[in-house]
Amino acid sequence: MGRRHLCHPQDPVEGGEVFGLVDCNNFYVSCERAFNPGLLGRPVVVLSNNDGCIISRSQEAKALGLPMGAPVFRHVRLLERHRVAVFSPNFPLYGDMSARVMNTLGDLLPGIEIYSIDEAFADLGGFRHDDLPAVAGEVRSTVLRHTGIPVSIGAGRTKTLAKAANYLAKKHPARRGVCVLEARDEREALASLPVDEIWGIGRSYGRFLHGEGVGTALDFAMRSREWVRRHLHVTGARVHAELNGEPCLSLEQVRPPRKSICVSRSFGRTVKQLDELENAVGTFASKCAQKLRAEGLRASLVTVFVHTGHYERPERSSGGHLTAAMPAETRSTIDIVRCASVLLRELYRKGFGYKKAGVVLGGLAPDAASAVTPSLFGDGQDEERTAALMQALDTVNSRYGSGALRLAVESPSGWKQRQENLSPRYTSDWDDIIEVRT
């Protein structure tokens, strides 16, 4: 589809900001259903890494009482009794479907901020207020038609009110997935929103507020600014102002610079040997370096963390993290993997069974000659050789597949997770494209 904004320059603007929030419904489940219509009307859940916990549920699965975040092994009987369709996470598919949804929104709306894989804020200030329900309805139907993903849309005078409106759009079927919050209706709407469902409040503040007799968003909005600032500090004060119609958060159409890059995995089994752990950390460090170069960045800090299972007895628990500064900002896989291996040997304790490890790159800076601080002990030729080597590495892996050319310390399997119920990568793998037979 060509670009076809729903807003036209001749449309009169009524003044004042209006934010929209477009949120994909049960996104991971919806991605699975988009390519498998047999799942419609059936309870469906998607699990987390290593098929551990439930991270996405269809409405039918929610109605069965399957909790979000619950370990799947505790609900096996319920899943079997109701023939719940269970899927391992298929993040390449979800990422591609997210890009399709966001591209469609970008074609329809004059300005969007991609907030997460399944959410985007939109600038709706250029539309006539009376037109907003119809505009939101057309966005909903277009996204569904182009991608197969159902979305809900909320609109309000601030981002936080747009979030609240989106919550109401999902909770009340009569709204048909759209809720445009008028200023005169805000108080009534906030009275039906539980305080711990407010964007930015979270569980900890939610428990505190319930203890103080603040049960709804309206209760919170009616507290004094001084009380909110004293107990919930700046973050709470910002949420409080936004609920009262004072915009504190603008639309960020340009993604802010990344501050860190992390690759981590929960192992599908216990890892006790140092060489196995080095395989894992080396693989994660290499993937970090690959992402670093893809983003056009360099890193000056490397952090490694490892830990045993959360439910281990105290005497069997071990873990921690260490950070090291690189001699100079780098984008070299070799330098980063070498540094990560040194840190891992300091963290490792023989005899303990590790369940998770990861590598984080920090101190990120643009990979531009003017922005790079050269090493005091290096020479320009080393830098040129490293750049050529990394370019060759990325070119080969791009042409022949990730891991075709790798360091010896990296695992050939890439430390793949347990995915016993993985659906095909319909949109990102030539071998998994759907065949239509007539």
Side-chain angles (χ1 to χ4, degrees), residues 281-301:
V281 169
T283 302
F284 304 157
S286 177
K287 289 185 181 297
C288 274
Q290 188 179 347
K291 289 184 176 183
L292 188 74
R293 292 192 293 275
E295 296 263 349
L297 297 169
R298 290 171 177 259
S300 58
L301 297 172

Side-chain angles (χ1 to χ4, degrees), residues 423-436:
S423 58
R425 298 175 181 180
Y426 301 103
T427 63
S428 59
D429 191 321
W430 286 109
D431 294 332
D432 288 346
I433 287 180
I434 290 178
E435 294 182 8
V436 178

